[in-house]
Amino acid sequence: MAIGFDDLVRALELWLKLNKKPKQTGANVNTDLDPVLLVPGIGGSILHAVNIDDDSYERVWVRFVAAEYKLKTKLWSRYDSSTGKTESMDPKTTIAVPEDRHGLYAIDILDPDLVIGSESVYYFHDMIVEMLKWGYQEGTTLFGFGYDFRQSNRLPETMDKLAAKLAAVYNAAGGKKINIITHSMGGILVKCFMALHTDIFEKYVKNWIAVCAPFQGAPGCTNSTFLNGMSFVEGWEQRLYISKWSMHQLLMECPSIYELMGPRNFNWQVIPRLELFRKHDSDGNSRIILESYTPSDNVGVLKEALATNTINYNGLDLPLPFNSDILKWANETWEILSSAKLPSGVKFYNIYGTNLATSHTVCYGSQDKPVTDLEQLRYFEAKYICVDGDGTVPVESAKADGLNAEARVGIPGEHRGILCEPHLFRIIKHWLRAGDPDPFYDPLNDYVILPTAFEMESHKEKGVEVASLKEEWDVISKDQDEQSNSDDKMEMRSISVSHDGTKAHATVTVREGKQHVELKAVTVSVDA
């Protein structure tokens, strides 16, 4: 009996599931912890294609086996301007997000059956494992919210699902308010919800921690995506996965990508641009001119470059130009985002990625090979002028949240890889007061300062009673977490004290060789 390719794929997937090791759970459950809801970014949720005739389903995102075929047949979409929703081209298919493990399954490992190179499809996996160690428990204090990332971040259907999720988490945790941790575009989605449903947000949310959120978009990334496509994974896995151009055809009808272009009126310190070397003829003379377009005037270039873009579906060539209707919807989204206010009872924290070259201005052509036809831009290799960021989102965009943040902290790391960073875990653990929080940890500098031997002397200085510390302090950085060298002491050199109302603030300066570490705004307890 002949076996078809699809049958072989299903047999392989079943074999992988049967041989998969069971998931380990946390050893020490702490039911006193406030609940946490994890919200991923674009591409960060498993998607199932559901057959409307018999409710059968299959995972279509993410999968490495037959990935390109499933993307084209199940996920390619067309936008409906009357609803603001993008609908799959297959009329017999709807897209759903699995709810297994209280929503965590969909945002943990995006291809759970992948054995080799599985790290490439890890999403919140490392964070989930870490939080289980701190005492969180799936379904009691730890939850996930996956969503169809093709859609707008303010799609009413998604907003309703998030409202229902917050209520469910709140009730499951016994009426405790929720800590939301978002990554990337998940921060835009949650900010949309906060703007549109402020009362619900305030009722259920205690803290919101945004990680690598493109609060003012990712202009360099989106410009190159519209013109050249996007790779979801890097390295050798690209050969087994989806081509950049197939991803391009998917994203052309996704409101979420248009919303990542950012607002037209943001006052950038470093303005992102779309640049073209083009040949101009005048008075019989030819010269090459570098044309430069800001976010407020680059849409014309995108429209002309994609005017004849088509998609071949079921043997038919269908037009797929730059979609002005989606752009109009996206601009309305940014108007909503600009009005978002943080409720008084909610604390907001912002973590952003640094130290990586991040595309900001995208340039096509050169003096030797200018652009003569904008429709050929898709075949040009882009050159980038970069700024500091996480490789995807510029620091300037990530920091410009427009909210009254408790803290904004930069972490060196890559946009998605930062979710695996121990540095990130230390900060989140400190802010959530989870596990065994270290009272001496300073997330702004990622230092732990521990007094080893000291003597307290009370005295008055200009009418303010302060505490004066003597002897030596250990300064333990992230590089010294595993082992400490007792010879590496930092001797305290000075304390300066200023009085502000009823509080005293100290600046502590310590020295090790030629390096200084300064801890600012350290509160000094005053006992009269």
Side-chain angles (χ1 to χ4, degrees):
M1 181 177 67
I3 299 177
F5 179 74
D6 286 347
D7 295 327
L8 183 62
V9 168
R10 281 191 286 271
L12 175 61
E13 290 179 339
L14 177 61
W15 180 84
L16 289 171
K17 289 178 181 177
L18 292 174
N19 286 275
K20 201 76 173 177
K21 294 181 180 179
K23 184 176 179 63
Q24 295 181 348
T25 57
N28 302 310
V29 175
N30 183 354
T31 56
D32 292 331
L33 293 169
D34 292 325
V36 170
L37 179 65
L38 304 177
V39 182
I42 191 166
S45 305
I46 288 176
L47 301 181
H48 284 166
V50 182
N51 189 309
I52 61 176
D53 292 333
D54 57 12
D55 289 333
S56 62
Y57 66 87
E58 59 181 333
R59 189 181 72 254
V60 292
W61 183 279
V62 166
R63 57 183 296 147
F64 274 74
V65 180
E68 181 108 359
Y69 173 74
K70 295 299 180 183
L71 179 90
K72 293 179 177 180
T73 56
K74 304 298 183 182
L75 283 179
W76 272 359
S77 315
R78 298 306 295 266
Y79 176 73
D80 184 347
S81 59
S82 66
T83 63
K85 186 175 183 179
T86 189
E87 302 279 3
S88 296
M89 290 184 177
D90 182 359
K92 293 186 176 182
T93 295
T94 59
I95 299 300
V97 180
E99 293 292 337
D100 311 56
R101 290 174 47 208
H102 311 280
L104 291 168
Y105 170 81
I107 63 173
D108 185 348
I109 302 175
L110 300 184
D111 186 346
D113 299 328
L114 190 65
V115 176
I116 301 174
S118 56
E119 292 82 359
S120 65
V121 289
Y122 279 6
Y123 205 91
F124 274 118
H125 179 73
D126 292 76
M127 186 178 292
I128 292 170
V129 170
E130 191 71 19
M131 295 184 78
L132 293 176
K133 294 177 184 177
W134 300 344
Y136 286 93
Q137 184 180 38
E138 295 185 5
T140 303
T141 51
L142 187 57
F143 304 83
F145 181 73
Y147 55 95
D148 184 351
F149 51 81
R150 301 174 304 166
Q151 308 296 343
S152 166
N153 288 289
R154 63 178 174 97
L155 186 73
E157 181 181 320
T158 306
M159 297 291 94
D160 291 344
K161 288 181 178 179
L162 181 54
K165 186 72 176 186
L166 290 173
V169 171
Y170 180 83
N171 292 329
K176 293 180 180 179
K177 284 197 168 185
I178 302 162
N179 298 299
I180 298 180
I181 300 176
T182 62
H183 176 249
S184 190
M185 193 180 75
I188 302 300
L189 186 148
V190 166
K191 192 176 182 183
C192 281
F193 184 88
M194 187 175 71
L196 294 170
H197 303 284
T198 306
D199 54 340
I200 300 176
F201 194 84
E202 186 172 20
K203 178 180 178 180
Y204 293 126
V205 178
K206 179 180 181 180
N207 299 308
W208 170 23
I209 302 173
V211 182
C212 297
F215 283 114
Q216 301 301 328
C221 179
T222 51
N223 279 334
S224 62
T225 294
F226 278 123
L227 294 171
N228 302 114
M230 173 192 290
S231 293
F232 181 72
V233 296
E234 301 297 333
W236 65 269
E237 292 94 341
Q238 289 186 49
R239 300 179 183 179
L240 304 176
Y241 195 49
I242 299 166
S243 69
K244 289 183 68 174
W245 197 246
S246 292
M247 279 293 294
H248 173 272
Q249 303 296 65
L250 167 68
L251 298 176
M252 281 298 299
E253 292 286 292
C254 293
S256 57
I257 286 294
Y258 288 73
E259 288 168 345
L260 290 179
M261 293 176 71
R264 306 287 93 187
N265 58 352
F266 179 62
N267 186 23
W268 292 92
Q269 292 182 355
V270 179
I271 300 175
R273 299 178 183 274
L274 175 60
E275 297 185 337
L276 311 171
F277 280 95
R278 299 183 74 181
K279 185 178 180 180
H280 290 259
D281 296 315
S282 61
D283 300 328
N285 296 318
S286 296
R287 54 178 180 160
I288 309 302
I289 297 177
L290 178 61
E291 300 177 351
S292 184
Y293 301 89
T294 65
S296 61
D297 59 14
N298 66 5
V299 172
V301 175
L302 296 175
K303 285 182 177 180
E304 187 174 346
L306 296 165
T308 60
N309 184 47
T310 60
I311 188 171
N312 187 279
Y313 185 78
N314 283 343
L316 297 176
D317 287 328
L318 305 175
L320 205 68
F322 185 86
N323 197 314
S324 297
D325 288 335
I326 302 182
L327 180 63
K328 180 180 177 181
W329 175 282
N331 288 336
E332 292 171 356
T333 298
W334 282 105
E335 290 179 9
I336 292 171
L337 287 167
S338 66
S339 68
K341 303 296 182 185
L342 190 72
S344 59
V346 181
K347 291 185 177 180
F348 170 71
Y349 302 85
N350 185 343
I351 299 174
Y352 54 92
T354 67
N355 286 24
L356 284 182
T358 303
S359 61
H360 201 51
T361 288
V362 185
C363 182
Y364 292 90
S366 64
Q367 286 281 358
D368 297 329
K369 190 178 180 182
V371 176
T372 56
D373 182 356
L374 289 184
E375 293 182 12
Q376 297 299 311
L377 278 183
R378 70 188 73 175
Y379 306 113
F380 274 79
E381 183 176 350
K383 299 180 180 67
Y384 302 100
I385 297 174
C386 296
V387 294
D388 189 24
D390 60 24
T392 300
V393 180
V395 165
E396 187 177 353
S397 172
K399 291 177 68 174
D401 47 67
L403 303 174
N404 184 21
E406 296 292 314
R408 296 183 182 90
V409 181
I411 296 179
E414 186 269 334
H415 184 68
R416 193 151 57 97
I418 209 166
L419 291 178
C420 308
E421 285 290 331
H423 188 167
L424 176 69
F425 300 152
R426 286 193 294 271
I427 293 175
I428 289 178
K429 184 178 181 181
H430 178 78
W431 284 340
L432 296 181
R433 302 185 182 279
D436 255 338
D438 193 328
F440 298 99
Y441 179 66
D442 174 16
L444 295 180
N445 296 303
D446 197 32
Y447 279 107
V448 178
I449 301 187
L450 299 174
T452 56
F454 61 89
E455 178 184 347
M456 302 295 295
E457 291 182 353
S458 295
H459 65 278
K460 287 190 175 182
E461 182 178 313
K462 296 182 180 179
V464 180
E465 190 164 327
V466 300
S468 176
L469 306 181
K470 291 186 175 181
E471 303 294 339
E472 293 178 330
W473 289 31
D474 283 338
V475 179
I476 304 173
S477 70
K478 61 183 180 182
D479 298 326
Q480 296 169 296
D481 283 345
E482 300 298 329
Q483 64 180 35
S484 168
N485 186 340
S486 60
D487 294 332
D488 293 336
K489 298 283 188 177
M490 288 195 179
E491 181 183 353
M492 184 173 62
R493 295 296 185 183
S494 64
I495 295 182
S496 60
V497 179
S498 62
H499 181 245
D500 178 16
T502 59
K503 291 183 178 180
H505 302 278
T507 298
V508 181
T509 303
V510 293
R511 179 192 299 270
E512 181 184 30
K514 296 181 179 179
Q515 298 184 3
H516 293 76
V517 176
E518 185 175 7
L519 306 180
K520 298 181 179 179
V522 179
T523 300
V524 177
S525 300
V526 179
D527 294 322

